[in-house]
Amino acid sequence: MPKRADRSDGSRSTPATIRVPAGAPSWVTPELLEHTIRVWQPYYQDQLIPADALEIIMSVGQLVDLLSSGDGHETVRRIGSGQQP
């Protein structure tokens, strides 16, 4: 995967090779895909591509939705008669 080119002013530009896959939500940007690939690549043997990054982003979003959909309270169970405190 190509690295971002550093500019003389210290900012970075997005590589032209990163394109948002068709059908992606409008908030998915080339910068988000590039960042996702950079973060997750060390955990994959094969080279990640923008479609892989989009799948990771969407899967993590679904996980967050699932975890945040609870009522926010845990059930505290009492110790049974045959159990030690």
Side-chain angles (χ1 to χ4, degrees):
M1 158 131 175
K3 302 258 184 198
R4 287 182 180 178
D6 288 331
R7 295 183 187 165
S8 59
D9 64 359
S11 64
R12 294 180 163 190
S13 63
T14 303
T17 58
I18 298 283
R19 297 194 193 281
V20 177
S26 60
W27 50 266
V28 175
T29 63
E31 293 84 6
L32 177 59
L33 294 171
E34 189 274 332
H35 178 76
T36 303
I37 291 170
R38 191 175 62 240
V39 168
W40 286 92
Q41 187 60 66
Y43 303 101
Y44 289 85
Q45 183 176 3
D46 296 332
Q47 179 65 44
L48 295 175
I49 60 173
D52 297 326
L54 179 60
E55 186 175 341
I56 290 168
I57 291 165
M58 300 309 292
S59 295
V60 169
Q62 291 173 348
L63 178 61
V64 169
D65 287 345
L66 177 69
L67 294 174
S68 64
S69 67
D71 61 8
H73 300 285
E74 293 183 27
T75 302
V76 178
R77 298 177 184 238
R78 294 181 182 213
I79 296 174
S81 59
Q83 296 175 328
Q84 301 241 347

